[in-house]
Amino acid sequence: MDPEFGVGMAPRKREPWRTTLLLAYQSLGVVYGDLSISPLYVYKSTFAEDITHSETNEEIFGALSFVFWTLTLIPLIKYVTIVLRADDNGEGGTFALYSLICRHANVSLLPNRQVADEELSTYKLECPPEVAGRSRVKEWLEKHKRLHTALLVMVMIGTCMVIGDGVLTPAISVFSAVSGLELSLSKDQHEYAVIPITCAILVFLFALQHYGTHRVGFLFAPIVLCWLLCMSAIGLYNIIHWNPHVYQALNPSYMITFLKKTRKSGWMSLGGILLCMTGSEAMFADLGHFSYSAIQLAFTSLVYPSLILGYMGQAAYLSRHHNFDADNQIGFYIAVPESVRWPVLVLAILASVVGSQAIISGTFSIINQSQSLSCFPRVKVVHTSDKIHGQIYIPEVNWMLMILCIAVTVGFRNTKHMGNAAGLAVITVMLVTTCLMSVVIMLCWHRSPLLALAFFLFFGSIEALYFSASLIKFLEGAWVPILLSLILLAVMFVWHYTTIKKYEYDMHNKVTLEWLLALGDKLGMVRVPGIGLVYTDLTSGVPANFSRFVTNLPAFHRVLVFVCVKSVPVPHVLPAERYLVGRVGPPGHRSYRCIVRYGYRDVHQDVDSFETELIESLATFVKLDALFRCSDAGGGGEEQRDSSYYERENALTVIGSNPLRRHLGLGYDDSHDGVSSAHDANAAGDGSANGMELAAAATGAVRKQVRFAVEMPRRSGGVEERMVEELREVCEAREAGTAFILGHSHVQTKPGSSLLKKLAVGVGYNFLRRNCRGPDVVLRVPPASLLEVGMVYVL
């Protein structure tokens, strides 16, 4: 689940202990649902045919020792102690690490980076640039372009494995929980009951996704809390009743004895043991919704002890029981007292649903972030909550996940193969996090490369051991996440590669407005009433599709705005810093450029609020521009100094946080989900000479209104009249209507291109483009106002 808007933007503060306790309690249902249900299938996956449970108990004690030290070293020390501190303005996850690296070193492949982006309040650097600039590692990374690509591919691999985990975790969790019926049913009844019940629960789970988790989220934390307490109580009972000395198995020597006795089979069984840390990545990925102290408190005080007691209790029971039939060998439910088996079964199923819900929501979130970095085809994103920012639902992805989950459940029909598949996905994501974290330690924390190398070698070697044990089971289920990841990686890389090539094509074929103005005299260019919003990926120049449009149809709107919606490597952009506005050409041409900046976790606005804010930003810019010219003409002191902020980025200014706004009495309201309003407290009267009301054409009974305040120094002379005239033209253009001009692109390869490029770009990208959402859907453009301009890209 994602954070509420604004969480994580401010520096980390010490919160009251009551708030920490409340957040720690709430984190149980969101962060720890997946991790808490791992005891359902860890021992069963570990002892699935590879090794046997002998009378000496060396195998079960060795497995317990492995589980204990794995939980201690990876979730507790690596994540809670180290990785959680590498937050990006309070946000966590793979993209948070990648954005941190991209801000501290020029390694991003996205070509629309601007100097003004570094002025964002969330674009904070831990050390001054002159200190960070002395890093040889940074210089080496920036110098080699292939390393930039390798870094992005690594992030893509981690993303693909998270999506694969979204397929496998619900399947193995629900299947393991329902498998408790095997102790109460005959073999024939079990075979015909468990699979249909599991599939029915999965269908029900995915069918509820469009309602949003906020409707039932209040139940998540109590369910997980009850499950952890129940598991702890059963574990404690088994320890006391069956083997009080089981704690001796925590000695690391039992791991060596385990490997000596079982040899290759024991090494292969590590693929089942690693499932004990399934869901650890969620502690970092969901950091933005809670806080470091809350997640740390919940894990160290409740989740970690409960898991250890649960695993110790199972080992204590198994150390006194060795004779299991072929069908019911080792599992969670066999160690549950028969008198409470049915209540525990119901609670386990509910907990597995909660854990599955968390990974499904995380899958939606990471796909949405991939879209923001142009690494995933456009899909429809539905926001299911007006209050909680970031709770989203993606219909196409939801139904594909459901089909794949059911296919995995029906195809494998056992915990062993599902565990092999899920284990490889989990450990790959952890390896990616370890690699990225090593780079963050050097570039962002400015620590010694030796410290980063020590971190990489210590945790990387542990995870590499588990990775090798999972990979060796390729034919026994591990091929599933690899196949899914290869398909997703190909899709993401083709989409990202072609997007960059299209941007480079636009850069090489863009034209200047001077050329367009000179051509206008020859063609007899006509300006029609209204506002034309020309969407482009360029942050400068006139896009080629618009120049071709006006040369064939020499007419465009009276007010023209080149709109660039871009993502910056920060999780959130404050509403006051979202709009970067400037002129394109002379003031009389009424052409502007507006760069709209979003973070990778920001929600894109609906078209009504976006259009209103855009026009308000234009009006504010007109007044700022007039004040700048007035102060420049008067040679005036402080205003002259403040104007230096306005002169950056080729006269683009940040609307909402510009220092010159205080001279106009303009405030900025970032309430109501970031919907802003340029206003003046003195412009209250409708008939005021200093006030002007901008109203859109009425749609039914709804009329959108924006008030412009016109208050200029009297010394400005003709500047005020020109400003009022420009504002009046913007007002009249808005009343005449707004047209959204988007490029409708088709991509083809150059003659003589390689076969691989023809398949990837000419076939793969065009197939994805035709079968995914268009930019008009993503940008929420109303069909009645849409004007598409065809464009052929030859790459």
Side-chain angles (χ1 to χ4, degrees), residues 16-322:
W17 64 271
R18 292 183 179 178
T19 303
T20 302
L21 283 177
L22 179 61
L23 289 175
Y25 168 73
Q26 293 174 341
S27 70
L28 294 177
V30 177
V31 177
Y32 298 109
D34 191 9
L35 183 62
S36 64
I37 59 177
S38 57
L40 288 173
Y41 45 78
V42 168
Y43 283 149
K44 192 167 187 176
S45 299
T46 303
F47 288 89
E49 300 179 15
D50 294 327
I51 57 178
T52 58
H53 177 40
S54 65
E55 295 286 343
T56 61
N57 291 323
E58 291 178 338
E59 293 85 359
I60 190 64
F61 287 165
L64 174 61
S65 186
F66 265 108
V67 167
F68 172 78
W69 287 106
T70 300
L71 282 174
T72 302
L73 293 176
I74 303 300
L76 182 61
I77 296 180
K78 175 188 169 183
Y79 280 95
V80 173
T81 306
I82 302 175
V83 176
L84 284 182
R85 299 180 183 274
D87 65 295
D88 181 11
N89 294 285
E91 296 292 340
T94 305
F95 280 98
L97 295 176
Y98 183 64
S99 69
L100 279 174
I101 295 171
C102 289
R103 293 212 302 272
H104 286 79
N106 188 18
V107 296
S108 176
L109 294 178
L110 295 175
N112 56 1
R113 188 171 181 175
Q114 293 176 281
V115 176
D117 296 337
E118 300 180 7
E119 301 293 338
L120 292 170
S121 58
T122 50
Y123 201 105
K124 63 177 183 180
L125 300 178
E126 300 298 329
C127 289
E130 59 271 13
V131 176
R134 293 200 295 263
S135 173
R136 293 183 179 180
V137 176
K138 176 183 175 182
E139 296 176 356
W140 181 62
L141 280 175
E142 292 180 340
K143 182 179 180 181
H144 296 84
K145 189 77 172 180
R146 292 184 178 180
L147 293 177
H148 305 178
T149 305
L151 189 64
L152 181 64
V153 169
M154 185 188 303
V155 174
M156 287 182 178
I157 291 174
T159 302
C160 294
M161 285 298 180
V162 170
I163 299 173
D165 197 20
V167 172
L168 298 165
T169 295
I172 188 174
S173 300
V174 177
F175 180 83
S176 299
V178 177
S179 293
L181 294 171
E182 65 187 2
L183 300 180
S184 303
L185 300 175
S186 65
K187 181 179 179 180
D188 294 337
Q189 291 175 329
H190 172 256
E191 289 181 354
Y192 290 105
V194 173
I195 298 297
I197 292 175
T198 302
C199 293
I201 293 175
L202 289 174
V203 171
F204 177 75
L205 174 63
F206 284 99
L208 289 180
Q209 292 302 311
H210 72 280
Y211 291 108
T213 57
H214 66 285
R215 300 183 186 273
V216 292
F218 66 95
L219 293 174
F220 287 179
I223 289 174
V224 175
L225 177 62
C226 291
W227 167 251
L228 290 172
L229 294 177
C230 173
M231 183 173 57
S232 302
I234 294 173
L236 196 59
Y237 167 80
N238 285 329
I239 293 171
I240 297 173
H241 188 264
W242 297 110
N243 189 353
H245 302 288
V246 72
Y247 68 89
Q248 296 176 354
L250 304 184
N251 190 326
S253 63
Y254 280 90
M255 292 189 290
I256 301 175
T257 304
F258 173 84
L259 292 177
K260 283 183 177 179
K261 183 176 181 179
T262 57
R263 298 183 181 274
K264 182 180 179 180
S265 297
W267 168 60
M268 294 176 65
S269 68
L270 295 180
I273 291 175
L274 74 86
L275 294 175
C276 69
M277 52 184 175
T278 301
S280 299
E281 189 75 22
M283 288 191 288
F284 185 44
D286 293 318
L287 179 62
H289 190 63
F290 303 100
S291 65
Y292 170 77
S293 56
I295 292 178
Q296 184 184 48
L297 176 64
F299 184 79
T300 55
S301 63
L302 180 61
V303 178
Y304 178 76
S306 298
L307 289 172
I308 298 301
L309 283 175
Y311 287 115
M312 289 178 65
Q314 290 184 61
Y317 178 88
L318 294 171
S319 67
R320 294 293 184 263
H321 299 80
H322 303 89

Side-chain angles (χ1 to χ4, degrees), residues 573-593:
V573 175
L574 292 175
E577 301 172 335
R578 177 153 294 148
Y579 294 92
L580 194 62
V581 183
R583 291 192 186 277
V584 179
H589 196 263
R590 303 296 187 255
S591 296
Y592 310 91
R593 183 178 310 283

